[in-house]
Amino acid sequence: MTARSATFALLAFFAATFAFFCVAAPRFATASNMENLMSGFSFVAILAIGQSFPILLRGIDLSVGAIVALAGMIVFDLELIFHLPGPVILVAALAAATLAGALNGWMVVRLKLQPFIATLATLAAYRGLVYSISGRQLVPGLSTTPIRNPWITGLETYFDLGTTLGLSDWVTLPWFPLGFFVMLAVLAAFHFLLGSTRFGRSLYTVGGNPEAARLAGIDTGRVTLAAYAMSGFCAGLAALLLVARLTTATEALGTGMEMSAIAAAVIGGVSLAGGIGSVIGPVIGAFLLGTILIGLTLLGISQYVQQILTGAILLAAVGYDRILVVRRRRRLEANLAEETRA
Amino acid sequence: MTALVPTLGRRLAPHALPLAMFAIVVAFAISEPAFLKPDNLIGIVRQVAITGIMAVGMTFVIMTGGIDLSVGPVLALSGVIAWFSLDAGAPLLVGIAAGLSVGLVVGVLNGLIIARIELPPIIVTLAMLSMVRGAALIIGGPDLHQIRGQEAYAAIGSGNFLGLPISVHLFALVTLLMIFVQKATPLGLLVAAIGENERAARLSGHRTRLTKTALYAICGVGAAIAGIVQSSQVHTASATYGEFGTELDVIASVVLGGTSLMGGNGSIARTILGVMFLGIMNNGMNILNVPIDIQLIAKGAIIALSLALSEAKG
């Protein structure tokens, strides 16, 4: 099964799940629920896109949740304490998140730390940094002030595409949140980057076989650094969408989100063995996760059962990935055997 | 920088942790003499007992190149199950056994999936973390359950024996047992062999899969013991104990002790050194009133730095 047909299989599974909940869960197939799904999981999809880069390199980024909090708190401080202009705030938050990701990459490349440990250490360190720059604690009374800067809250705009396109006479379409389009833009940009640029090819090569990539003259260090920086950038973007939605930032923002991001990426067919995967898969993975969680909630199934199911889905996804890997290896061995015989 | 780090690292690496520990103890003792009082020192060991028991249990797992992220929820579920058994009128030993069996079951499941189906330990135990937490919350709900009228059970966490807290005795007992396993039993040798080269160990006829399953079971039971100590220490059981971050402290202790995440090197005794190091850091920073944000940053920086040093050695 090729990567492309694996994506189609995932898409088919997503469609089946979606159809199931449309029939089985009350109020699932409504416009307002679709708005929930799109605005509630677009940022998970963005985190999952970011997470695929370290995983493509056989790494992992556990610190994305803490980076989300860091970027969120920077927005909070710059807006409510320093009253900087909107564009400056957006750029500063994204830059800080990208830098935090690059620092992860630097530790992996230069200090030769294992990605798991490096990002584990920064998970604690970045979260600590969030507490120490928290405007909620530095300036009393600020914690109840909402963020009103239109540059930031504007990210939580909804578009009535149905009326614009003249379709609303026929069906009730959901209003599309801006975050959804941001996610699509990220998806398109990174899909192009991975599929059609030299950098993308290097990334797959380094992930597939780092030693071969090095011998082929690829600067593996730079590729690795960039991969972690991109994961940080995506976390920053997700933070902007979250802050726009909540109109505030807290120290605990993004806690545990690495779990959803990793799960969505792995469900989306990014192989933990490195070198295999796309950014479309993780997006489908994120919305599959969202469909299942929202659907189960509408079915009245407890949140605790959902936790068990999330774990089970994750296990099933890696199990499936494992089956593909084994099958690929067998086919390779069979081919080799045939060639030797011939 | 690049030239300096390897040479310095090569010379310092084997002794980095004891040296750093000594320096920190001296620094804390000078800035706050109360640090060196016997009561405070015993207090440190008591504080680290829970993390310590889990770290000792996880050392073998990490030595084989694995990891167990599910220890936090196992800690919670074991306390909740023990509470339910005792509340239903079960005798003390039955209650404890019920709690410990949680760790055994989860550990064996982890081990079977990782050793038999060969799925990556990070993801398997991450999934297990979510599933066990969900199960604990279904069984125990989000509330705290007071443990009343169970003097014997409460003594595990808060009683004293021969002038030392019983939890400290328990910690020492678990540690000595595991040091014995590592030094004097075939299992200890096998752990090292799998860590060095799993394929070679399997090809030379060792039952590597069974061994790995057993190691995850040991790790699970360690977390369950910690759960019982914790719930008896605070007289409450709750499905929310062992919150996210518990497993990170445990892993950090093991890795600080010099056990490589790639497998191979490692020892229980050195894990204790790592546990004490983090314990002293936390205690000293608390005594000195270092705010939580700086504590988190310092912890992250120290873990990264000490590992970068030990990496430079190899």
Side-chain angles (χ1 to χ4, degrees), chain A residues 60 62 106-107 110-114 116-118 120-133 255-256 258-259 262-263 266 272 302 304-312 314-315 318-319 322 329, chain B residues 1-2 67 69 113 117-120 122-124 126-135 137-138 141-142 244 248 251-252 255 260-263 292-294 296-297 299-301 303-305 307-308 311-312:
Chain A
I60 201 150
L62 297 178
W106 181 81
M107 286 166 61
R110 277 296 148 136
L111 301 184
K112 297 193 173 59
L113 290 179
Q114 288 200 28
F116 180 82
I117 280 295
L120 185 65
T122 52
L123 168 89
Y126 292 158
R127 187 68 72 181
L129 196 59
V130 172
Y131 277 99
S132 61
I133 64 164
T255 305
E258 57 280 350
M259 167 114 174
I262 295 168
V266 173
L272 288 158
S302 109
Y304 308 146
V305 179
Q306 295 182 25
Q307 268 183 325
I308 297 185
L309 283 172
T310 314
L314 184 56
L315 268 187
V318 270
R322 172 76 197 161
R329 194 187 298 153
Chain B
M1 179 80 184
T2 21
I67 200 137
L69 300 177
I113 300 174
I117 316 182
E118 297 181 30
L119 298 187
I122 292 187
I123 301 294
V124 172
L126 188 67
M128 200 56 91
L129 178 148
S130 180
M131 292 161 75
V132 177
R133 178 71 72 201
L137 283 165
I138 289 175
F244 193 72
L248 305 186
I251 296 164
V255 175
S260 162
L261 276 177
M262 301 293 277
I292 178 75
D293 49 325
I294 307 290
L296 277 173
I297 297 175
K299 209 185 268 156
I303 294 173
L305 196 70
L307 286 174
E311 193 62 43

Side-chain angles (χ1 to χ4, degrees), chain A residues 72-90:
Chain A
M73 197 50 77
I74 287 174
V75 171
F76 186 92
D77 285 356
L78 294 185
E79 163 63 18
L80 294 180
I81 301 179
F82 298 102
H83 305 291
L84 292 183
V88 176
I89 297 176
L90 296 184

